Amino acid sequence: MNLAINLDTETAAPTTFEPAAAPLPQRARQAIDLLKAIVTEQPTSLLIAYSGGKDSTVVTSLALAALAELAQEGKLSADIEHMAVTSNTGIENPVIERHVGSHLRAMRAFCAEHAIPLKAQWALPSLAESWQVSVLGGRRQMAWPSEGQSQYCSVDWKIKPIDGLKRQHAKSLPKGVRQVTLLGSRFEESARRAANMADQGADSGVVEHQGRLLAYPIADWTTSDVWDYILFAQPFGQGGPFPSYAVSLADVLEVYNSANGECSIVGDSGKRTPCGARTGCWACPYAGKSDESLTNMAKDNPEMAPLLALRQYIVSLRHDVGARNFIGTDIKDGGDINISAAGYSGRVLLDLLRACLTLDAEEMERSDNPAFQIITPQELVAIEWNWAIRGIQVCPWEATRAWVEVHHQGKRFPIPSASTAAPAQAGGQSLHPLEGETLGSVTTPLMAHAGVTVATGSRLEVDPEGAMEMLSIEGDMLEADTEKAPESVANSLLMRGVVSIPASRRGELDRRLTAVARLREEGVMQWAFHGGRPELASNEFQLAMVG
């Protein structure tokens, strides 16, 4: 269901699980027949939750084989589109992203050959919610394990994008067609998962759960069954008991071996459970101080090494209070703002952006077919916008300046040294609220009202072509502009039409930008750039915001 491949099978299997007695070829046949029945018993669109992992690869192979057989039998409706979907957070492990991309292409080719109406595609987070814009843009920090924090990253970068595509797909289907999601979950995986699946009735064909129709084609398969299918799979139509949409599925095992640093089927002489690593986002802090799978993959994939080094720097910032921005610019109804550790300081964000742009440039120099691009022009402009409306930089156009320095002038910026700060107060909590202190009422909007492009949607929008043109044609000129207030960049981007905002947000942004200007006049915004908990007495913070 998402691009992160879970290679961890260390959770104890439920004691009540009993492997099916029938031979695997017979169970594979039964799974294909079940899927054919699901599609034909009433108008149905299959939605395959594909991740690139072993289980979802087998489910995808079974589903496409079922659809191909129905097409051969003349029983597959050309008017009902099916879908295979996988999430891409935008900071995926390049090896995994390359692997999943090759399989999506194989699915498309297979479906074209067998006249199967199926769309295989990525689900991407919105621009505003992406890691590049939300974290490097200064709105929030990384999602850390423990500390009572929710994993917003999984929700915003995986679940929401996939759910959005599902809804769009469901709306596009003819009236009366149901959407059934195919999952690769198995009873053997863990006691908790087995209990949840049993409660849903996972072994009884199509089940309804929380308003969704689900099916578990390999619910009673063991891990050995899954690997046997993958290793002995043959292209559909060649007579083997394990049909595949690809020429071979052996590359799935290669990915697992690369992440584990050993054979993923047998483990290492009992010292650990096979498949004991995890792959996912290269910047993910949930693997701890060191990411074992990323480290193992970097041995055979040189492009991974700089991403691993950048991850280590990001992880080192976890307890560094001096790396955080405490000056909130979200204004409450009464005019208050919070003084609390939220995103990173302007200084840290500028260092991070320069490092990311440098890695991009060096990767383009390394290969004619770069394995990654961390920052696109569209994302760079969105970062510039976020820095402006939050007032976290000292000079205007700092993000554009970094782009010009790296991509136009050839400068290179090293990854900063790891922070050695000791744990302080928990990140993301309110550390020093200034109760009862207000900014007063806002009466002086900074944004121009004429010539501002208004977005048709409900989110921030950045024109990709306009962003590229601005950086290519105007970048050098903007880079030299150091005199204006940093927050003036927001108005400039709007006037250029590169950035557009929903009309409903105009008042909010007027209010925010006015607050930033007043805070800068009083010297408060220096804390947003330099970082650390501000030392402000109550009488120093009373700002009259009247025109």
Side-chain angles (χ1 to χ4, degrees), residues 195-488:
N196 290 337
M197 291 172 62
D199 289 342
Q200 296 172 21
D203 57 352
S204 59
V206 177
V207 299
E208 184 173 356
H209 178 65
Q210 296 181 347
R212 296 187 301 162
L213 296 177
L214 309 174
Y216 299 84
I218 59 172
D220 62 350
W221 289 31
T222 66
T223 300
S224 294
D225 292 336
V226 172
W227 281 124
D228 283 346
Y229 190 106
I230 286 173
L231 294 178
F232 295 103
Q234 292 180 294
F236 176 83
Q238 294 192 7
F242 308 138
S244 166
Y245 56 86
V247 174
S248 171
L249 299 179
D251 61 329
V252 178
L253 178 59
E254 293 173 5
V255 168
Y256 278 74
N257 289 346
S258 178
N260 280 305
E262 62 177 348
C263 177
S264 293
I265 297 179
V266 301
D268 58 354
S269 304
K271 294 181 181 179
R272 61 185 251 188
T273 304
C275 307
R278 178 177 177 81
T279 66
C281 302
W282 60 260
C284 180
Y286 274 76
K289 291 184 178 180
S290 61
D291 187 322
E292 180 181 359
S293 64
L294 203 62
T295 301
N296 287 331
M297 287 185 169
K299 297 174 184 176
D300 299 319
N301 301 276
E303 71 273 16
M304 302 282 282
L307 296 178
L308 179 61
L310 182 57
R311 177 199 179 272
Q312 297 307 100
Y313 168 65
I314 294 172
V315 170
S316 77
L317 297 174
R318 178 177 184 180
H319 298 295
D320 191 345
V321 174
R324 303 283 286 281
N325 170 23
F326 283 70
I327 307 300
T329 55
D330 291 321
I331 308 169
K332 298 179 181 179
D333 291 340
D336 297 338
I337 65 168
N338 284 331
I339 301 297
S340 61
Y344 298 109
S345 69
R347 171 184 55 83
V348 168
L349 292 173
L350 186 55
D351 286 343
L352 278 171
L353 178 61
R354 286 169 169 169
C356 289
L357 292 171
T358 295
L359 297 193
D360 284 346
E362 291 176 344
E363 177 61 14
M364 285 187 278
E365 293 168 351
R366 184 193 70 84
S367 173
D368 292 333
N369 184 25
F372 60 83
Q373 181 178 12
I374 306 174
I375 307 294
T376 65
Q378 184 186 35
E379 290 160 347
L380 190 286
V381 171
I383 291 169
E384 189 81 87
W385 166 267
N386 273 270
W387 285 2
I389 66 173
R390 287 175 171 79
I392 54 181
Q393 296 299 334
V394 176
C395 295
W397 302 108
E398 283 287 25
T400 301
R401 186 169 296 108
W403 178 280
V404 169
E405 288 175 335
V406 172
H407 290 298
H408 295 187
Q409 300 173 3
K411 292 184 181 179
R412 298 293 179 262
F413 297 92
I415 297 170
S417 300
S419 171
T420 57
Q425 298 196 40
Q429 305 296 318
S430 289
L431 301 181
H432 190 186
L434 299 180
E435 297 183 39
E437 298 179 359
T438 72
L439 294 176
S441 60
V442 179
T443 60
T444 311
L446 298 183
M447 290 164 50
H449 288 271
V452 174
T453 303
V454 177
T456 57
S458 60
R459 297 177 178 272
L460 166 75
E461 296 177 8
V462 176
D463 175 23
E465 293 184 3
M468 187 71 254
E469 288 180 5
M470 189 190 84
L471 293 173
S472 301
I473 299 173
E474 298 184 84
D476 294 311
M477 176 191 70
L478 296 174
E479 184 266 343
D481 182 3
T482 60
E483 300 300 322
K484 296 177 182 177
E487 50 272 17
S488 67

Side-chain angles (χ1 to χ4, degrees), residues 143-159:
W144 301 103
S146 71
E147 297 182 352
Q149 292 190 28
S150 62
Q151 286 183 267
Y152 73 78
C153 51
S154 293
V155 174
D156 290 348
W157 304 343
K158 297 176 182 179
I159 297 174

Side-chain angles (χ1 to χ4, degrees), residues 6-322:
N6 189 354
L7 309 178
D8 187 0
T9 58
E10 295 183 2
T11 306
T15 56
T16 57
F17 173 75
E18 295 183 6
L24 183 59
Q26 181 179 335
R27 281 181 283 132
R29 184 66 252 172
Q30 291 171 345
I32 293 173
D33 290 340
L34 169 66
L35 293 169
K36 291 173 68 176
I38 290 174
V39 172
T40 56
E41 65 185 11
Q42 70 180 84
T44 299
S45 172
L46 298 181
L47 195 149
I48 306 167
Y50 176 71
S51 71
K54 62 186 189 302
D55 300 316
S56 70
T57 298
V58 170
V59 169
T60 303
S61 292
L62 294 169
L64 293 187
L67 294 174
E69 288 186 8
L70 289 174
Q72 290 178 343
E73 298 165 3
K75 299 178 181 179
L76 187 65
S77 171
D79 298 327
I80 299 177
E81 183 181 63
H82 306 272
M83 176 177 283
V85 60
T86 187
S87 70
N88 187 331
T89 64
I91 50 171
E92 296 294 345
N93 178 318
V95 173
I96 304 301
E97 185 172 5
R98 189 162 56 241
H99 166 73
V100 172
S102 70
H103 277 255
L104 291 179
R105 289 190 294 274
M107 292 177 209
R108 297 181 191 119
F110 179 88
C111 292
E113 178 183 355
H114 296 280
I116 299 171
L118 181 141
K119 182 184 297 183
Q121 67 181 91
W122 302 100
L124 302 169
S126 69
L127 180 65
E129 298 295 341
S130 67
W131 177 83
Q132 288 83 350
V133 180
S134 66
V135 175
L136 295 189
R139 182 161 62 88
R140 57 189 177 188
Q141 60 160 327
M142 296 292 291
W144 301 103
S146 71
E147 297 182 352
Q149 292 190 28
S150 62
Q151 286 183 267
Y152 73 78
C153 51
S154 293
V155 174
D156 290 348
W157 304 343
K158 297 176 182 179
I159 297 174
K160 284 183 179 179
I162 287 180
D163 284 348
L165 274 184
K166 286 182 179 179
R167 288 192 298 271
Q168 291 176 20
H169 180 247
K171 290 179 180 178
S172 71
L173 296 174
K175 186 177 181 180
V177 176
R178 64 178 182 172
Q179 183 187 74
V180 176
T181 300
L182 305 183
L183 300 175
S185 304
R186 297 179 291 108
F187 288 117
E188 186 201 40
E189 291 180 90
S190 72
R192 178 180 296 180
R193 176 161 293 183
N196 290 337
M197 291 172 62
D199 289 342
Q200 296 172 21
D203 57 352
S204 59
V206 177
V207 299
E208 184 173 356
H209 178 65
Q210 296 181 347
R212 296 187 301 162
L213 296 177
L214 309 174
Y216 299 84
I218 59 172
D220 62 350
W221 289 31
T222 66
T223 300
S224 294
D225 292 336
V226 172
W227 281 124
D228 283 346
Y229 190 106
I230 286 173
L231 294 178
F232 295 103
Q234 292 180 294
F236 176 83
Q238 294 192 7
F242 308 138
S244 166
Y245 56 86
V247 174
S248 171
L249 299 179
D251 61 329
V252 178
L253 178 59
E254 293 173 5
V255 168
Y256 278 74
N257 289 346
S258 178
N260 280 305
E262 62 177 348
C263 177
S264 293
I265 297 179
V266 301
D268 58 354
S269 304
K271 294 181 181 179
R272 61 185 251 188
T273 304
C275 307
R278 178 177 177 81
T279 66
C281 302
W282 60 260
C284 180
Y286 274 76
K289 291 184 178 180
S290 61
D291 187 322
E292 180 181 359
S293 64
L294 203 62
T295 301
N296 287 331
M297 287 185 169
K299 297 174 184 176
D300 299 319
N301 301 276
E303 71 273 16
M304 302 282 282
L307 296 178
L308 179 61
L310 182 57
R311 177 199 179 272
Q312 297 307 100
Y313 168 65
I314 294 172
V315 170
S316 77
L317 297 174
R318 178 177 184 180
H319 298 295
D320 191 345
V321 174

